Amino acid sequence: MHIHKRTFGDWALDIFVYGFMIVLGLVTLLPMIHVFSKSVSSDWALVSGRVDLLPVGFQLDTLATVVTSYAFGRAFLISAIVTSVGTLLSILVTAITAYPLSKRHLPGISFIMVLFVFTMLFNGGLIPNYLLIRELHLINNLWSLILPAMISVFNMLVIKSYYEGLPEALEESARIDGARSYTILFRIILPLSMPVLATIALFYAVGFWNDYFSPMLYISDPALKTLQLHLRDVVMENDTANAINRSADDLMNMSPESIRAATVVASTVPILLVYPFLQKYFIKGVLIGSVKG
Amino acid sequence: MKKKMKWVALPATLSLILLSACGSNGEGAGHAENSAPAPSTQSPPASEAAKPELKALMRLGPNFEKDPIAAMLEEKTGYKVNYEALPVDKPEDKLNLLIASSEPYDIVSTGGDSSSKAIYADYAKKGALVDLTPLIEKYGKNIKASLSPETLEMAKVDGKIYAIPTRSIESVGTSLMIRKDWLDKVGMQVPTTLDELTAVLKAFKEKDPGGNGAKNIPMAIKGDVPMVDNIVGAFGIVNDWNDVNGQLVPRAMNPSFKQYLAYMSDLYKQGLLDQEFAINKDATVKEKFTNGKAGVIVLHWADIPPIDDALKKNFPDAAYAYIPALAGKDGQTGLAQSSGFDRITFVPKSSKHPEDAIKWIDAKLDPNTFKNMAIGLEGTHHTFKDGNYYPILPIFNDERGSASNYLTGIDEKNYPIYWQARVRKDERLYKGWEALNKQQKPEAFKKNPLGLAPYLPDYSKEDAQLGQMVNDYAVKVIVGAEQLAGFDAFTDNYKKAGGQTSYDEINAWYATVKK
C-alpha cells in the first residue's frame, strides 16, 4: 500500500541507484567476459586485437589443451586438496574456538579474547614467519599453506557474535534434557549456525583457493605448485617489464595470449561454481520459529 | 595492501638477516673450508659409490619432474637432481629469501642481466657463495674445455670464480619489419638508407597503399622504446653505451643522439610516425600491423609466427620483410647484437655437496651429454645435413623444447650451431633469424659493450633510473612537448643524476679491456 504518491525525487533516486548498480555490475562483469572470449577465440584474432566482448574465430582447443595439460591438472589437484582440507579444518577449528569464547561467564575468557585480538593487530612479519615455517620443516609441504591460515580471528569473531545471538533458552532446554556441552555444540549450536558457517566456509575456501602469497614463499617444488602459482607463471611470462633481458629461447617458448586467457578462465570457474551452492544459506533464516513465545 | 607493506620491508630485513647470517657463516666458513673437503677426500670410495641427491634451483622450469631431459641427465651423470624453480614474477625476492635463510641448494641458476649480476656479486662479496676456483681446477675438465677463459674471467668477483656463467647466443633480435606488398603498390624497393626509409614512409602516407584513410600509419613504434632498432644504428647509437673514439659514451651524452631525436621528431611532425605512439604497447603495435594499419613496425624474429598467422588471415596477399641495416648520413649502420650472460649458476655456502655440484655441472658439459641435452640424439630428435642440425618434429619440441632451462654453462664453440636447430622448428622463424643474422654485413653487428662487463656498482644502481630518464626525454622531444634546444641542459641533468659517475666507472673498466 502506497501511503503517498511517488515524487520526482523518489524516481530520480531509483534511477540513480539502479543506474549506478548496473554500471558497477558491468565494470566487474565485462572484464570477465572479455577474458572468457579471449580464451575461446583464435590466436590470429587475438594478435590483431579483434576480440572485445564476443569471441572471434570460436574454438575450444585452447581451453581443452590447458585443462588437459599435465602441469595444469597437477596444480589444480594440489589447489583442490589444499582448499578442501584447509576449509574443512579451518571451519571446524574456528567454529569450536568461537564457542567457549561466546560464553562470557567463563573465568578468564576476556583475557583469552585479548590474546586472540592481539594477533589481529600485531604479527611477526614476513621473515620471522618464513623462518618459523622453515624451522617447522614445512617448506615445500602443503601444510605450510593450511596450518598458518587455519584460524582467521576475524572470521572467528563473526561466528562468535552469531553464537551470542542464539537464544540462551535453547541451550538451557537441551541441558535440562541431559545434553552435555559437546552434544549442545554439535547437535544444536552448529546446525543452527549453518548460515554463518557456510558464509565463513566460503571465505576460507576462496582464501585458500586464491592464495598466491604463501605458496610463492613456501613452495619451490614444481610438483607442489598450486594453481595460483602456475597461473602467475603463465600470465607473467609475457609481462614486458624486462622483455629485453629475455633470451630468444624464452621468447620462442612463450605461450600465446589465448593460453593465458584459458588458464585464467580454467582456474577461476571452479571457485565461482561454489557460490550458487552456498547462496541459499546466505538468504535462509534458520532461527525463525525455533523459540516460541 | 598489508602484503605490499610486507614486501616493502623485505629488502631491509633481508639485508639484516643476510648480514647476521654471514657473520656466523663467515666464522663457520673458515672451519668449513678446512674441514668440509676433508671427509670427502678421506673417503673417496664412499662418495664415489653413492652419489648424493642434489638440490637445484633453476630459473624457469615448467615440468622438471617428468621431463625427458631430466631423466636423460640423471642417467648420464649419475646424479639424481631435485629441481625447483623460482617464480616467474619477481624471482629475485624469493631468491633473496632462500639465500638469506640458507636453504641447502647445491646449484642455483639466475638470469644473466645486469641486475642479476649485481645480486650475484653481492652474494659473493657477502660470503654467501662457494669459491669455485679450486673446484673447477680439480673437477672441471669439461668446464674448462667448454667455457672460454674470457667467460670465466668475467664471472670473477675479487679475483675468485663464484659462478659458472652461461653465455648468451650472440644474435640480432629486433629490427624494422615492413609490408612488402605495400612497397610493391607504391612501386618502391626495400629501403637501405635512412633517406630511402623517409621516402618510403612518405609514399606510404601519401599513397595510402593499405587503403586506411585517416587511420593510415606509415610506421608504428612502442611508447616505452623510443629508440628504434636499426634507425639508432644509422646514427651510431645502437646500444645504450657506444664506443666513441675509444670511450664508452651513453646516448644522453652523445651528440648523435640529438641528431637522432631531430630525425624522429621530424618524422612525427610530418605524420610519418604513429601519432599515438607514446601510448602504444607491444600488443598495440602488433595489432596495428596485423590489421593492416601500419606499414613498418619494430619486431623480434621470435614473434614472427603469430604475426604471420594473423596478418595472412586478415590479408591473404600480405607479404613482409626485414629492412636491412640502414645506412645513415656518413654510411653508419648498426643492429644491436645481444651479448653477455644468459644465466649465472652458482653454489651457495649452504650447499651440502659443493664438490658434487661442480662434478654434476662438469658431467653435463661432457660433449656427448651436452649435445644430447641441447638437441637430443641424431636420428631421433634431429638430423645433420651440410653442417647444420635440423629438428625432427614434433618429438624435438616435446622432448627437447625446454632444454635451455637446464643450461649451466655451454659448449661455447658448438652450442650456437646446435641452437639453430631450435630456430628451424618453424621455417618462418628461421627466415626471420637468417635475414637479421646471416644476410647482413658483419660490420653492422654491434655487440652491447656492457654485456660482458663485470659488476659495476654505480652503473647497476643508476642504470634503470637513467634509462627511464632518457626514454622519457626522447618521447617528449619526438612528440614536440620539449624542444631540442634544451639538449645540453638535459645532458647536464643526466650527468648530475648519476650519469657522470657511471661514465667514469664504466670507462675506468673499459680502459683495462680495450686493446
Side-chain angles (χ1 to χ4, degrees), chain B residues 124-295:
Chain B
K125 279 181 201 287
K126 284 182 178 155
L129 306 182
V130 174
D131 176 11
L132 302 179
T133 328
L135 296 176
I136 293 173
E137 207 50 54
K138 206 163 164 193
Y139 307 109
K141 180 171 64 83
N142 295 320
I143 296 176
K144 278 189 284 182
S146 303
L147 275 65
S148 64
E150 183 199 23
T151 307
L152 287 172
E153 188 60 37
M154 287 178 316
K156 279 185 181 170
V157 176
D158 296 337
K160 289 175 181 166
I161 303 171
Y162 290 97
I164 307 289
T166 302
R167 284 285 284 266
S168 37
I169 305 255
E170 289 177 351
S171 70
V172 177
T174 47
S175 180
L176 294 170
M177 183 67 96
I178 190 166
R179 280 286 292 276
K180 198 104 183 305
D181 51 326
W182 282 27
L183 276 175
D184 294 342
K185 273 188 200 159
V186 298
M188 293 175 96
Q189 296 294 313
V190 177
T192 54
T193 68
L194 214 49
D195 293 339
E196 285 175 29
L197 176 73
T198 321
V200 164
L201 293 177
K202 267 188 190 143
F204 279 2
K205 181 177 158 64
E206 281 152 18
K207 297 185 184 159
D208 190 10
N212 290 315
K215 286 186 174 165
N216 186 34
I217 302 166
M219 178 161 77
I221 61 172
K222 282 190 267 185
D224 55 350
V225 190
M227 313 299 172
V228 182
D229 284 304
N230 199 346
I231 298 184
V232 284
F235 289 92
I237 45 170
V238 181
N239 294 296
D240 291 346
W241 294 71
N242 300 282
D243 188 318
V244 180
N245 304 324
Q247 297 276 308
L248 284 185
V249 179
R251 283 179 179 139
M253 289 162 66
N254 192 332
S256 307
F257 183 46
K258 192 174 174 182
Q259 293 169 21
Y260 169 77
L261 290 177
Y263 174 77
M264 291 301 287
S265 63
D266 188 49
L267 287 187
Y268 185 83
K269 240 178 263 160
Q270 294 185 51
L272 305 181
L273 185 63
D274 187 356
Q275 298 295 298
E276 293 167 358
F277 88 89
I279 51 168
N280 276 357
K281 297 206 157 102
D282 186 52
T284 339
V285 173
K286 288 174 182 163
E287 277 166 25
K288 285 176 175 168
F289 189 70
T290 51
N291 278 321
K293 300 279 182 276

Side-chain angles (χ1 to χ4, degrees), chain A residues 43-50 70-71 74 119-120 123 125-131 134 139-140 211-223 225 229-230 232-240 242-254 256-257, chain B residues 2-3 6-7 10 13-14 17 55 57 59-66 83-89 94 97-98 101-103 105 113 171 224 282-283 286-287 290-291 300-303 306-307 309-310 313-315 342-343 401-402 404-405 415 419 422-423 425 429:
Chain A
D43 267 320
W44 64 265
L46 291 175
V47 172
S48 26
R50 300 200 166 182
Y70 178 74
R74 190 183 47 197
T119 65
M120 281 178 90
N123 61 47
L126 180 74
I127 306 285
N129 268 338
Y130 181 84
L131 294 177
R134 190 167 69 98
I139 297 290
N140 279 331
D211 190 11
Y212 160 71
F213 199 69
S214 23
M216 200 270 288
L217 283 180
Y218 305 138
I219 304 289
S220 318
D221 185 347
K225 254 192 204 172
L229 271 191
H230 174 71
R232 189 79 167 176
D233 282 356
V234 171
V235 173
M236 290 307 291
E237 197 183 302
N238 191 35
D239 192 66
T240 43
N242 55 354
I244 302 125
N245 297 328
R246 215 166 265 151
S247 73
D249 275 308
D250 295 349
L251 285 171
M252 279 192 286
N253 284 338
M254 212 145 79
E257 179 75 26
Chain B
K2 207 162 126 202
K3 284 179 176 169
K6 284 179 179 173
W7 277 123
L10 182 61
T13 333
L14 263 181
I17 291 199
K55 228 177 135 187
L57 184 68
R59 195 168 68 96
L60 288 170
N63 252 329
F64 288 116
E65 186 195 24
K66 281 218 158 181
Y83 296 97
E84 296 184 357
L86 289 167
V88 176
D89 184 29
K94 174 121 188 205
L97 194 61
L98 294 173
S101 59
S102 305
E103 287 296 320
Y105 288 106
D113 53 308
S171 70
D224 55 350
D282 186 52
K286 288 174 182 163
E287 277 166 25
T290 51
N291 278 321
H300 194 285
W301 55 260
D303 286 334
I307 296 289
D309 286 341
K313 183 87 187 171
N314 295 333
F315 304 95
D342 179 42
R343 60 197 72 208
S402 57
S404 60
N405 293 337
Y415 186 65
W419 176 79
R422 216 162 277 289
V423 184
K425 66 187 178 186
L429 281 176

Side-chain angles (χ1 to χ4, degrees), chain B residues 205-509:
Chain B
K205 181 177 158 64
E206 281 152 18
K207 297 185 184 159
D208 190 10
N212 290 315
K215 286 186 174 165
N216 186 34
I217 302 166
M219 178 161 77
I221 61 172
K222 282 190 267 185
D224 55 350
V225 190
M227 313 299 172
V228 182
D229 284 304
N230 199 346
I231 298 184
V232 284
F235 289 92
I237 45 170
V238 181
N239 294 296
D240 291 346
W241 294 71
N242 300 282
D243 188 318
V244 180
N245 304 324
Q247 297 276 308
L248 284 185
V249 179
R251 283 179 179 139
M253 289 162 66
N254 192 332
S256 307
F257 183 46
K258 192 174 174 182
Q259 293 169 21
Y260 169 77
L261 290 177
Y263 174 77
M264 291 301 287
S265 63
D266 188 49
L267 287 187
Y268 185 83
K269 240 178 263 160
Q270 294 185 51
L272 305 181
L273 185 63
D274 187 356
Q275 298 295 298
E276 293 167 358
F277 88 89
I279 51 168
N280 276 357
K281 297 206 157 102
D282 186 52
T284 339
V285 173
K286 288 174 182 163
E287 277 166 25
K288 285 176 175 168
F289 189 70
T290 51
N291 278 321
K293 300 279 182 276
V296 180
I297 62 164
V298 181
L299 195 69
H300 194 285
W301 55 260
D303 286 334
I304 291 179
I307 296 289
D308 180 74
D309 286 341
L311 187 63
K312 293 278 167 64
K313 183 87 187 171
N314 295 333
F315 304 95
D317 299 329
Y320 53 85
Y322 270 123
I323 296 179
L326 294 164
K329 287 247 149 42
D330 40 10
Q332 278 204 83
T333 58
L335 292 170
Q337 198 178 39
S338 60
S339 160
F341 295 160
D342 179 42
R343 60 197 72 208
I344 310 173
T345 307
F346 47 78
V347 179
K349 267 270 161 64
S350 47
S351 161
K352 290 186 180 132
H353 319 284
E355 294 178 15
D356 292 288
I358 289 300
K359 283 185 196 163
W360 178 70
I361 291 175
D362 192 67
K364 281 171 71 191
L365 284 168
D366 167 77
N368 287 324
T369 311
F370 181 76
K371 188 174 178 185
N372 191 342
M373 172 173 84
I375 51 170
L377 297 167
E378 189 172 350
T380 311
H381 302 99
H382 68 261
T383 53
F384 183 69
K385 213 166 52 194
D386 310 327
N388 287 316
Y389 298 92
Y390 295 85
I392 298 174
L393 300 171
I395 189 171
F396 182 84
N397 285 346
D398 293 343
E399 299 201 344
R400 290 296 179 272
S402 57
S404 60
N405 293 337
Y406 289 86
L407 296 178
T408 50
I410 52 168
D411 177 344
E412 287 173 13
K413 237 183 252 106
N414 290 315
Y415 186 65
I417 303 163
Y418 296 159
W419 176 79
Q420 289 177 29
R422 216 162 277 289
V423 184
R424 288 178 205 266
K425 66 187 178 186
D426 188 322
E427 187 56 29
R428 296 168 296 181
L429 281 176
Y430 185 75
K431 269 197 182 142
W433 180 83
E434 189 187 31
L436 291 182
N437 290 285
K438 294 257 167 138
Q439 295 166 356
Q440 303 294 326
K441 292 191 190 97
E443 63 263 26
F445 299 138
K446 301 270 161 49
K447 265 186 232 173
N448 178 7
L450 291 179
L452 299 180
Y455 165 60
L456 301 162
D458 287 326
Y459 163 71
S460 298
K461 199 173 69 190
E462 305 290 353
D463 181 40
Q465 178 245 121
L466 288 174
Q468 190 63 45
M469 182 177 165
V470 174
N471 273 358
D472 289 350
Y473 178 72
V475 172
K476 274 187 198 154
V477 170
I478 294 172
V479 301
E482 189 139 354
Q483 295 308 310
L484 253 188
F487 186 80
D488 293 338
F490 167 72
T491 305
D492 283 344
N493 281 341
Y494 177 87
K495 285 181 183 166
K496 275 184 210 135
Q500 188 64 46
T501 43
S502 296
Y503 178 86
D504 295 341
E505 181 187 49
I506 284 175
N507 281 295
W509 158 75

Side-chain angles (χ1 to χ4, degrees), chain A residues 29 33 36 74 98 143 165 195 197 222 228 239 251 259:
Chain A
L29 185 65
I33 295 180
F36 179 76
R74 190 183 47 197
W143 286 109
L197 293 184
Q228 302 306 325
D239 192 66
L251 285 171
I259 291 273

